[in-house]
Amino acid sequence: MNAADDKTIVKDYFNSTGFDRWRRIYGDGEVNKVQLDIREGHQQTVDTVISWLTDDGNLATLSICDAGCGVGSLSIPLAQAGAKLYASDISEKMVGEAKERAEALLGNNSNPTFTVQDLETLSGKYHTVICLDVLIHYPQDKAAEMISHLCSMGESRIILSFAPKTLALSLLKKIGSFFPGPSKATRAYLHREADVVKILESNGFVIQRKAMTKTRFYFSRLLEATRN
């Protein structure tokens, strides 16, 4: 399978059975134990990003691109805090859900601005570009292209998350425990942190902060890089 096939799989999955599953995971309704674990892990990653941005004390002055916004788990609270959000996702259904959640919490507001786009067609310039839990769906060569494109849009900062390629996680993935049961619907790609850092550095960014979220079924390395 090539990268184009991966993109088609991701788009089709999150517009069909995957949409219902992940809408529940990213919501607050009843889910099974595995889904609850993933929900809690994802929320920890989102909370870390929000804390980084709010601790800087200038959130209300920022323009932020949330590439792969899902149902708005990050975009909506950042918009509530005053940042200008431009959010996109490859899944039309995910974007529709994000709009509904934003309207319920923020009213009929133009912030965040939501669009249905794949990452490669995004354009514009933003103070901060964020991409959470997207790279896991793509192999290294495609991930490198995506990161470089995101860097071209980031005027000051890039924040990325990815599933780190370590011996332990590689073994878990190999035996089928990385995404157990029915949650295993798209291929899960692990990425070496050194490779991701090298791509960021080659595009003129330097690492500022790191974090790691690790639960039973959710593993995410978070990197913040600023333009050198």
Side-chain angles (χ1 to χ4, degrees), residues 1 23 27 36 85 92 137 165:
M1 293 281 184
R23 178 177 58 176
L36 179 61
L85 262 294
E92 182 178 355
H137 300 298
K165 190 171 186 178

Side-chain angles (χ1 to χ4, degrees), residues 27-72:
D28 54 10
E30 185 176 347
V31 290
N32 64 42
K33 291 182 179 179
V34 172
Q35 292 170 333
L36 179 61
D37 182 88
I38 295 171
R39 174 193 289 174
E40 293 173 347
H42 174 75
Q43 189 60 50
Q44 287 177 36
T45 296
V46 169
D47 289 344
T48 298
V49 172
I50 293 174
S51 70
W52 283 355
L53 297 181
T54 54
D55 287 350
D56 289 344
N58 63 344
L59 185 54
T61 70
L62 302 185
S63 62
I64 298 174
C65 175
D66 182 7
C69 65
V71 298

Side-chain angles (χ1 to χ4, degrees), residues 23 26-27 71 73 76 96-106:
R23 178 177 58 176
Y26 293 151
V71 298
S73 303
I76 294 171
E97 178 71 13
K99 287 180 178 179
E100 290 183 9
R101 294 188 183 194
E103 185 174 349
L105 291 170
L106 301 171

Side-chain angles (χ1 to χ4, degrees), residues 115-135:
T115 62
V116 180
Q117 281 183 280
D118 59 44
L119 193 149
E120 296 93 329
T121 62
L122 291 177
S123 61
K125 296 291 184 180
Y126 309 91
H127 177 280
T128 298
V129 175
I130 304 173
C131 185
L132 302 184
D133 294 351
V134 171
L135 298 179

